[in-house]
Amino acid sequence: QVQLVESGGGLVQAGGSLRLSCAASGRTFSSYAMGWFRQAPGKEREFVAAINFSGGNTRYADSVKGRFTVSRDNAKNTVYLQMNSMKPEDTAVYYCAASLLWGSTPTSYRYWGQGTQVTVSS
C-alpha cells in the first residue's frame, strides 16, 4: 500500500514557475515508477511525465517537453515536478501516481494522490 500526497499547486502567471511535490508513505517507494498526470475541466486525465524507480529514466508528454522536469529523492520518499515557462493551457488538477510498471497510461498506475490545483493566468 502506498499513500501519496501532492503539494505545491497554486496560481501563477503565464511564463512563471511552480514546483509540485508528492510525498509517499511506505518503505517501498524506491520500487515504484512515479507518474504525473493532469486533468482539466471537461477533459480526460492526461499523462504529463514519468520517472522510473531509480530516477535514471524519464518520459514526458510532448506538450511539456523542455518546460517541465520530473525528479525524485528516494531518501525522502518524494517525487517532484518542476514546471517552467507555464502556459494557461497547463491549468488543471495535477495528480501523482505510483506503478510497478513503466508506462504513460493511467491504467498502468495503481496508487493515486488526491490532486493539487494549478492555475495559470494569462
Side-chain angles (χ1 to χ4, degrees):
Q1 186 82 11
V2 177
Q3 293 183 324
L4 304 172
V5 179
E6 302 97 336
S7 61
L11 175 64
V12 64
Q13 288 189 332
S17 299
L18 279 177
R19 188 175 83 154
L20 304 183
S21 299
C22 173
S25 66
R27 291 175 285 182
T28 59
F29 174 74
S30 59
S31 299
Y32 289 87
M34 299 298 297
W36 286 97
F37 293 80
R38 66 187 182 187
Q39 188 165 20
K43 295 187 176 182
E44 292 187 353
R45 191 168 298 189
E46 65 173 0
F47 171 75
V48 175
I51 187 166
N52 76 334
F53 70 98
S54 68
N57 193 10
T58 57
R59 181 182 295 178
Y60 297 93
D62 288 343
S63 59
V64 306
K65 203 170 292 184
R67 300 188 298 121
F68 290 12
T69 302
V70 60
S71 61
R72 67 190 296 161
D73 186 337
N74 285 344
K76 295 182 178 180
N77 279 14
T78 302
V79 63
Y80 305 97
L81 185 67
Q82 178 67 43
M83 304 184 291
N84 299 328
S85 302
M86 297 187 72
K87 304 175 181 180
E89 51 264 43
D90 294 322
T91 295
V93 177
Y94 282 69
Y95 300 88
C96 70
S99 173
L100 290 174
L101 306 175
W102 177 240
S104 59
T105 58
T107 53
S108 298
Y109 291 79
R110 182 174 183 181
Y111 301 106
W112 291 83
Q114 82 290 349
T116 186
Q117 176 70 45
V118 171
T119 303
V120 184
S121 63
S122 57

